[in-house]
């Protein structure tokens, strides 16, 4: 039997959001008058480790168009950059911060290991465990000051991580922000799993590398930025190292997951920058990565501009994005 929540009951933010989707599907949601000039834009920022730095030029492109997202959902590095965006940072500010904290291997190492082993005694006390603490990494790479809770952000923000024990995604949009991001970026073996909110969390890309589902529920235009890469540059290569095979296998898995997600929640605008020239963990190449993706900004702007013009021309149209099982969003 389906449990029905009545208005005025004490629901969590995620329950309220789920109820709003049910109401729209049942046709019982109140109609909201929309401004033709202001479609609600939902952004899904995918995971891809260092390659995820390519999100920055697309954020800059939206700034240049004078557009702000109505909702942001992020997985892995998409959650880290998305948090900055949701807190009001511009694309240029995100670029400058990334250059500052990732500019060289020496700078990265200092931020990662500076607080990890302060002495030889601490090194031995850790048992030579070289797995990173994701919470420390988040604290060391976020701008200072930075909010500690979702409620302090300027844009609704959803963080996707993987619950290692239940094998399902864990989505956070309220309460402590930093441990949620830490869980979302906790690449297995590289990071220790994060214990938070009765979950044992690992990288969100394990279950949902492009969280279109979280960005789709309350928007008119759904944008997906997929930074997982493609196999084009690997078709004739044979000299794979062990780490290449490990990350490559993860890419193949994520590619399949993204395909299923796009079938369930087709984005109105979808971009997948060519990122295979950059290693998964080559964060110190941040300037090259960002400049490489910046070449695609005009293409992204054209796609998004066409969708906005279409929306303005027919603001009462049913959104093109579908919900699971072929159910369409009700007009709003």
């Amino acid at each position: 039997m389906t449990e029905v929540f009545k208005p005025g009951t004490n629901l969590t933010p995620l329950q309220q959001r789920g109820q709003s989707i049910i109401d729209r599907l049942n046709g019982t949601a109140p109609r909201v008058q929309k401004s033709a000039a202001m479609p609600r834009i939902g952004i899904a920022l995918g995971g891809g480790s260092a390659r995820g730095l390519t999100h920055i030029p697309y954020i800059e492109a939206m700034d240049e168009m004078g557009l702000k997202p109505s909702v942001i959902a992020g997985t892995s590095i998409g959650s880290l950059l998305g948090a900055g965006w949701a807190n009001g940072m511009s694309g240029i500010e995100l670029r400058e911060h990334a250059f500052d904290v990732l500019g060289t291997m020496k700078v990265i190492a200092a931020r990662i290991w500076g607080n990890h082993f302060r002495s030889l005694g601490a090194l031995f006390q850790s048992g030579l465990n070289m797995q990173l603490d994701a919470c420390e990494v988040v604290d060391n790479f976020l701008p200072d000051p930075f909010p500690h809770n979702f409620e302090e952000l300027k844009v609704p923000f959803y963080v996707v991580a993987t619950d290692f024990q239940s094998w399902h995604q864990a989505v956070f949009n309220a309460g402590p922000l930093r441990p949620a991001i830490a869980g979302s970026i906790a690449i297995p073996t590289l990071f220790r799993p994060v214990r938070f909110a009765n979950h044992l969390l690992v990288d969100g890309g394990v279950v949902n590398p492009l969280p279109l589902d979280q960005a789709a529920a309350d928007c008119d235009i759904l944008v997906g930025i997929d930074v997982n890469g493609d196999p084009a540059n690997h078709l004739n290569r044979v000299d794979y190292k062990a780490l290449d095979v490990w990350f490559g296998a993860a890419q193949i898995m994520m590619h399949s997951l993204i395909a299923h997600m796009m079938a369930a929640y087709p984005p109105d605008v979808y971009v997948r920058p060519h990122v295979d020239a950059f290693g998964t963990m080559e964060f110190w190449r941040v300037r090259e990565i960002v400049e490489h993706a910046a070449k695609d900004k005009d293409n992204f702007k054209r796609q998004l501009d066409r969708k906005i013009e279409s929306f303005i021309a027919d603001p009462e149209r049913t959104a093109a994005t579908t919900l699971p099982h072929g159910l369409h969003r009700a007009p709003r």
Side-chain angles (χ1 to χ4, degrees), residues 76-225:
S76 197
I77 192 171
S79 73
L80 193 59
L81 291 170
W85 195 14
N87 193 44
M89 293 180 72
S90 68
I92 288 182
E93 287 172 334
L94 286 168
R95 177 194 286 242
E96 291 174 349
H97 179 70
F99 287 179
D100 184 46
V101 300
L102 299 171
T104 67
M105 291 183 67
K106 182 178 180 180
V107 169
I108 296 170
R111 286 185 173 267
I112 290 177
W113 300 109
N115 294 327
H116 201 70
F117 299 128
R118 292 190 177 275
S119 67
L120 188 60
L123 176 63
F124 287 107
Q125 186 178 5
S126 72
L128 296 178
N129 182 356
M130 300 303 289
Q131 283 186 302
L132 300 176
D133 184 322
C135 292
E136 285 187 4
V137 169
V138 169
D139 285 338
N140 291 339
F141 283 91
L142 281 177
D144 185 27
F146 199 83
H148 286 272
N149 294 293
F150 280 90
E151 291 80 3
E152 300 173 63
L153 299 175
K154 297 177 174 62
V155 177
F157 181 49
Y158 294 84
V159 170
V160 175
T162 300
D163 188 315
F164 184 74
Q165 293 171 312
S166 73
W167 296 9
H168 292 101
Q169 73 175 3
V171 181
F172 303 94
N173 80 320
L177 173 63
R178 298 179 185 220
I181 298 172
S184 185
I185 69 166
I187 298 172
T189 70
L190 181 61
F191 291 95
R192 293 193 295 274
V194 175
R195 292 191 178 276
F196 173 61
N198 296 318
H199 298 283
L200 185 65
L201 302 174
V202 296
D203 194 288
V206 173
V207 289
N208 190 353
L210 185 62
L212 295 166
D213 56 331
Q214 300 306 312
D218 194 27
C219 70
D220 303 302
I221 296 174
L222 178 60
V223 177
I225 304 178

